[in-house]
Amino acid sequence: SPDVEALKTAGVQLVLTELEPSEELAKSFSDAGIQVLVLPKATTREELTTLFTTIGSALGGAKTGYTTPQRRGFSLLSALDDIQRLIPNSDAGVTAGYVINAEGEFASDSTMTGKLLAYAGAVNVAADGGTLSADELATANPDYIFCAKGLKETLTQQKGFASLAAVVNEKIYEIDGALMENQGSSMLDAVIELAGTMYPELKTEGLISPTSSQEVSSDTSSAAARPARVDANSSR
């Protein structure tokens, strides 16, 4: 329920939203001379690049506003691919899941959040997402569980979680939910943190490094140009 008059007074010309506004709210924005751009979250690589270019075009014009974020999107995706290529080969394979709320709901492979696990070298045990039953959890029995900050203690006390290998072996880790959910350069920060947790040798060998929260840079090349090592600054 945004205060449209306050936005108008502040000089806002454009509102970006993931949700379609109600007819009443859309009319209020229109009457205030404020444009509304609805941008659902991307679920694929192609949609992510489109998200970048759509926002860029809206803010910077059809040419520069399109090409600059397009390069940034390609650079980000290239860096994610580079991390995936660095993952050690394993016959067994590492399994993991990302829990998004206190109800024990997992991120699915139909979301970019769920796909980050694959970039980090893990098989998502909850590929279809949702809340898994105790039996489903026991069958999946992930090697690692990741969750948003503040959820670890709650999850370990829930039925079905306490006996999981990840909990018993103390391989349940909290991660900043914004890194996992926001669809920008923070995705690279998230994958480096995930991969570094599941494959610590990547950090000790200097193949991946911690990152800052700076924007993806339009004038630096992708990590693909330096495949021996990946850090977020290579795509920033």
Side-chain angles (χ1 to χ4, degrees):
S1 303
D3 187 333
V4 177
E5 283 303 313
L7 294 174
K8 180 180 178 181
T9 300
V12 172
Q13 298 172 297
L14 176 67
V15 166
L16 309 179
T17 174
E18 290 181 21
L19 303 175
E20 188 78 40
S22 65
E23 290 186 14
E24 181 181 358
L25 182 56
K27 185 178 185 306
S28 297
F29 278 128
S30 179
D31 292 345
I34 298 174
Q35 292 183 299
V36 178
L37 182 58
V38 180
L39 297 163
K41 277 195 171 184
T43 60
T44 65
R45 293 168 65 98
E46 293 75 17
E47 289 178 3
L48 185 67
T49 302
T50 299
L51 181 66
F52 276 42
T53 55
T54 300
I55 294 175
S57 298
L59 299 177
K63 187 175 180 180
T64 303
Y66 182 93
T67 57
T68 299
Q70 183 184 49
R71 287 196 301 268
R72 293 181 181 183
F74 288 159
S75 182
L76 171 61
L77 291 170
S78 293
L80 291 174
D81 289 338
D82 287 336
I83 294 176
Q84 194 171 34
R85 283 192 288 268
L86 290 172
I87 303 302
N89 292 325
S90 170
D91 293 334
V94 172
T95 59
Y98 175 71
V99 183
I100 61 179
N101 55 37
E103 287 69 45
E105 183 179 355
F106 286 83
S108 75
D109 278 350
S110 65
T111 66
M112 287 304 297
T113 298
K115 287 181 174 69
L116 296 183
L117 291 170
Y119 286 115
V123 175
N124 187 357
V125 296
D128 295 329
T131 304
L132 304 184
S133 68
D135 287 342
E136 289 172 329
L137 273 173
T139 300
N141 200 21
D143 300 312
Y144 293 85
I145 293 176
F146 298 93
C147 61
K149 287 187 176 179
L151 290 182
K152 179 178 177 179
E153 184 175 353
T154 300
L155 293 177
T156 56
Q157 295 175 358
Q158 283 188 15
K159 180 182 179 181
F161 277 87
S163 60
L164 295 179
V167 176
V168 173
N169 297 326
E170 298 184 350
K171 291 184 177 180
I172 176 170
Y173 299 93
E174 293 184 338
I175 183 172
D176 186 347
L179 297 184
M180 298 291 292
E181 298 288 341
N182 291 349
Q183 298 198 322
S185 59
S186 64
M187 296 168 65
L188 186 55
D189 295 308
V191 171
I192 286 179
E193 185 169 340
L194 294 172
T197 299
M198 294 184 288
Y199 303 95
E201 64 270 27
L202 295 180
K203 282 186 174 180
T204 57
E205 294 173 8
L207 297 176
I208 60 175
S209 67
T211 67
S212 66
S213 58
Q214 298 172 4
E215 274 190 90
V216 171
S217 172
S218 61
D219 59 359
T220 50
S221 60
S222 127
R226 296 179 296 280
R229 180 178 179 275
V230 175
D231 62 51
N233 293 321
S234 62
S235 72
R236 289 170 189 268

